[in-house]
Amino acid sequence: MNPPPAGQAASVRCATAEEMAQVRERLAKVEGGHDNLRDGLNTLSRQFSDLRRDLTRTVSENADQTRREVMGRVDTMADNAAERDTEISGRLSRIEGGLKLTSWVTMTFIVLATGLLGWGQIGDAAWSFCKRAFGYGA
């Protein structure tokens, strides 16, 4: 509002009871709307809090389940690897035993053959000596 021009008196107007009732009614509506907004915000806050709690719990449960599944698979893989290791160790033991037996038989054959050849050479030498000694050899 602009101030009244110089020389004129400012007129002051008072509100009527009806205007005051309208102002009170509007104020009550604004206060009621404010209360409704506050209640709505509180409700939304609770809903968001519940949603965050439920979401956190669900994520945690899913993580636990995934962890259990992964560890189960790891345990299965470890068990399978241990079974394969045991089977391979058994095979290698049998192969090693076969190689030892083969080596023993081969060495025995070589020793016997060498011995027989040695005795054969000794026999040939003795026979030649006897033939010469008794005059049968030339």
Side-chain angles (χ1 to χ4, degrees):
M1 278 179 114
N2 293 332
Q8 283 188 343
S11 64
V12 176
R13 182 178 170 285
C14 292
T16 64
E18 186 178 310
E19 290 173 334
M20 284 305 292
Q22 287 176 351
V23 167
R24 283 188 193 116
E25 188 178 322
R26 286 182 184 168
L27 181 62
K29 286 181 183 178
V30 167
E31 286 177 347
H34 181 267
D35 291 342
N36 287 339
L37 283 174
R38 187 176 343 109
D39 291 344
L41 286 174
N42 287 339
T43 301
L44 280 176
S45 177
R46 276 192 310 277
Q47 288 174 346
F48 279 126
S49 177
D50 293 345
L51 178 64
R52 182 175 54 242
R53 182 196 65 228
D54 293 344
L55 186 60
T56 301
R57 183 177 50 233
T58 301
V59 167
S60 178
E61 289 171 356
N62 286 342
D64 289 342
Q65 181 179 355
T66 301
R67 191 176 305 110
R68 283 190 302 272
E69 289 174 3
V70 167
M71 291 310 294
R73 289 178 185 164
V74 167
D75 289 343
T76 301
M77 288 172 28
D79 292 344
N80 290 342
E83 287 176 18
R84 281 194 304 269
D85 288 350
T86 302
E87 183 180 337
I88 289 170
S89 293
R91 287 181 183 177
L92 288 175
S93 294
R94 288 190 297 276
I95 290 169
E96 184 179 356
L99 289 174
K100 285 182 180 180
L101 178 63
T102 303
S103 176
W104 183 83
V105 168
T106 302
M107 288 305 297
T108 303
F109 178 74
I110 291 171
V111 167
L112 288 175
T114 305
L116 290 175
L117 289 175
W119 282 110
Q121 288 177 347
I122 291 172
D124 283 345
W127 181 254
S128 294
F129 175 76
C130 289
K131 280 187 350 181
R132 283 189 191 136
F134 296 114
Y136 294 108

